[in-house]
Amino acid sequence: MKKIVTLATASLAASALLAGLATPVHAAPDWNKRIRCKQKDWEGRVIPTRYGNSEFGWNHFTHRHNIKKCAVVEGPLNGKPDGRNGARLEYHGVAINGTRQVKIVVIVQWARKTKDDRYDAGRGQKIGVINAFCKNQNHNKCPNWVNQ
């Protein structure tokens, strides 16, 4: 009788192990990899702005920071990076409308994956623009005139 119990226990342990292998430990969050716009910088990078999700990309900054036109993002990208930290590139620009001015900051992840490895753009692809905002504004939210 003891052998049958041992075999049954071993069988349950094997089933549990196999079930654990079939279930991913950390499933990647859902995000939209489609490209909304892209811009080539002065160092030859063609930088995509992907739709992303509420955490990063177009869907993040268009709602959170009130940027609704590709030109607002493409302007700062049409230059050289103003800051670098590994795969993270930072580009600065200025939006001007008459006498009004606001500083624009665009953050790019120039790698296949995000820094925390939660998102993957796919083989041969780059994440691209992860955030864009107006510096020194309330909650870094751009004024409406930036989108005109």
Side-chain angles (χ1 to χ4, degrees):
M1 186 72 160
K2 185 154 178 136
K3 285 187 179 180
I4 295 171
V5 172
T6 304
L7 289 174
T9 305
S11 178
L12 287 172
S15 295
L17 178 62
L18 290 174
L21 292 176
T23 306
V25 177
H26 297 287
D30 190 33
W31 71 294
N32 188 337
K33 295 180 186 179
R34 287 184 310 131
I35 295 173
R36 173 77 163 84
C37 22
K38 47 181 151 168
Q39 175 65 43
K40 188 173 185 178
D41 78 359
W42 289 2
E43 294 178 353
R45 297 177 196 88
V46 178
I47 302 169
T49 300
R50 299 179 186 278
Y51 282 96
N53 60 22
S54 63
E55 293 183 12
F56 77 100
W58 184 266
N59 289 334
H60 167 75
F61 63 74
T62 198
H63 297 291
R64 183 161 182 158
H65 302 298
N66 195 34
I67 293 176
K68 302 188 185 303
K69 293 203 174 217
C70 286
V72 178
V73 176
E74 293 168 346
L77 292 177
N78 185 18
K80 292 184 178 183
D82 295 289
R84 298 174 198 248
N85 184 1
R88 178 185 161 127
L89 306 174
E90 190 169 302
Y91 296 81
H92 299 172
V94 177
I96 301 171
N97 183 325
T99 59
R100 300 178 287 191
Q101 292 187 41
V102 66
K103 294 178 183 178
I104 309 281
V105 177
V106 178
I107 308 295
V108 171
Q109 180 68 17
W110 193 246
R112 174 182 173 171
K113 294 183 179 184
T114 54
K115 186 176 180 177
D116 61 8
D117 284 334
R118 292 177 63 213
Y119 300 96
D120 187 334
R123 180 177 290 161
Q125 301 296 311
K126 304 293 187 195
I127 294 288
V129 175
I130 57 173
N131 202 2
F133 56 90
C134 288
K135 193 169 183 162
N136 299 326
Q137 299 296 302
N138 188 23
H139 301 288
N140 290 329
K141 192 168 188 171
C142 295
N144 288 330
W145 62 261
V146 168
N147 297 302
Q148 295 174 349

